[in-house]
Amino acid sequence: MCLGLPMTIVETDGVTALCEYGGEKRRVSVMLLSGAMVGAKVLVHIDTAVRPLEEDEARRISEALDGLEASLNGEDCDRFFADLIGHEPHLPDHLR
């Protein structure tokens, strides 16, 4: 399984961009995006920015990743998934 990271573009030349997430910086391709600008949030898979993200979506992905890390470390992760606690999951018809 591959996870995408919500990264912020720090600098770009239009072909690649230096992006940052959680204190880590890496150079990624932005060739799938048009007009990638400094400060923009992008979803990065395998060193390729695959799509732009709205601030809220980037925050939710980051919180989910933090929750997964907490869970893997045996820590309480309920605060990261508060919107899911006490709710039945809504599954698409093909998964029921």
Side-chain angles (χ1 to χ4, degrees):
M1 177 173 53
C2 178
L3 294 175
L5 297 178
M7 301 189 86
T8 303
I9 296 176
V10 176
E11 63 183 49
T12 184
D13 61 13
V15 176
T16 65
L18 183 62
C19 293
E20 181 176 31
Y21 173 74
E24 175 190 346
K25 290 184 181 178
R26 68 169 62 159
R27 180 134 323 255
V28 306
S29 170
V30 290
M31 294 194 60
L32 296 177
L33 307 178
S34 62
M37 312 239 338
V38 171
K41 304 281 187 196
V42 292
L43 186 63
V44 175
H45 285 276
I46 313 171
D47 292 335
T48 301
V50 295
R51 69 179 179 89
L53 294 172
E54 297 292 328
E55 283 286 333
D56 185 56
E57 186 180 19
R59 179 190 51 75
R60 286 184 286 132
I61 293 169
S62 182
E63 287 174 356
L65 292 171
D66 290 345
L68 289 174
E69 182 178 15
S71 177
L72 289 170
N73 291 328
E75 301 167 8
D76 177 42
C77 61
D78 286 356
R79 71 182 185 277
F80 297 105
F81 303 105
D83 59 326
L84 301 176
I85 295 173
H87 294 83
E88 287 293 320
H90 175 72
L91 297 175
D93 290 338
H94 70 281
L95 294 177
R96 293 181 195 180

